[in-house]
Amino acid sequence: FNDSDLAYVTGPHYDSLVITVQIDSATVHRVLIDGGSVVNNVMLSTLKPISIDESRITRMSTNLVGFSRESKRSEGEIVLPVYANSLTSYEKFSVLNCPSSYKVILGRPWLHNVRAVPSTFHQCVKIPTKGGAVEIIHGEQTTSHECYGVALKPPRSGKSPN
């Protein structure tokens, strides 16, 4: 990373790295890149509008624990294709049925599978290709701000931020 990577960044900032990718046949916005997450997560509410049948979920519930020791049980697991620019990977996701300002969280499994190097400071992810080039996916700071704002709002009864 160098100063040329900052051309798309409005700073100074402390923004999360939020991108858009294609999952299965749909473009999915509000995808958090989280190098601290040991799993990839997809919200159940994200699968419905992109027409992914819940029967594809392997009902194997897992207890996921966050950094503040809060615990969530997953609905199961699902493998989905993730298309990021010209790169394709098949990723296992834990399916969560809970409110979230993010539709998907791509954690270390995705980062390692595609050999991605994220930089929240530079607001981009760099991924080497087989041909020796480097793909760059730029973060979406405005979307990051929106997700942060949604996360701070108290939930309305029966309403999910999704």
Side-chain angles (χ1 to χ4, degrees), residues 6 8-19 31-35 102 118-125 138-149 152:
L6 296 171
Y8 298 93
V9 177
T10 304
H13 73 89
Y14 297 106
D15 298 327
S16 299
L17 183 52
V18 177
I19 64 172
V31 176
L32 175 67
I33 302 300
D34 183 3
Y102 304 105
S119 172
T120 57
F121 179 76
H122 295 93
Q123 282 292 293
C124 65
V125 180
H138 294 282
E140 300 165 4
Q141 282 185 284
T142 301
T143 303
S144 178
H145 297 166
E146 291 167 2
C147 291
Y148 183 71
L152 290 179

Side-chain angles (χ1 to χ4, degrees), residues 56-58 60 62 75-79 92-95:
R56 291 177 56 189
I57 298 171
T58 302
M60 185 170 62
T62 305
E75 298 293 310
E77 297 177 343
I78 190 169
V79 175
K92 182 178 6 175
F93 290 89
S94 286
V95 179

Side-chain angles (χ1 to χ4, degrees), residues 32-33 46 59-60 68 105 112 115 123 126 139 159:
L32 175 67
I33 302 300
T46 301
R59 299 292 174 176
M60 185 170 62
S68 62
I105 299 172
H112 291 193
R115 300 180 1 196
Q123 282 292 293
K126 292 190 175 188
K159 293 285 184 177

Side-chain angles (χ1 to χ4, degrees), residues 81-158:
V82 177
Y83 306 98
N85 289 356
S86 68
L87 303 165
T88 302
S89 64
Y90 288 85
E91 301 296 330
K92 182 178 6 175
F93 290 89
S94 286
V95 179
L96 300 176
N97 188 10
C98 62
S100 175
S101 55
Y102 304 105
K103 294 180 181 273
V104 169
I105 299 172
L106 289 174
R108 289 195 307 266
W110 179 76
L111 291 168
H112 291 193
N113 285 344
V114 299
R115 300 180 1 196
V117 180
S119 172
T120 57
F121 179 76
H122 295 93
Q123 282 292 293
C124 65
V125 180
K126 292 190 175 188
I127 306 169
T129 66
K130 291 181 181 173
V134 175
E135 294 264 350
I136 300 174
I137 303 171
H138 294 282
E140 300 165 4
Q141 282 185 284
T142 301
T143 303
S144 178
H145 297 166
E146 291 167 2
C147 291
Y148 183 71
V150 167
L152 290 179
K153 290 181 186 173
R156 293 186 279 169
S157 63

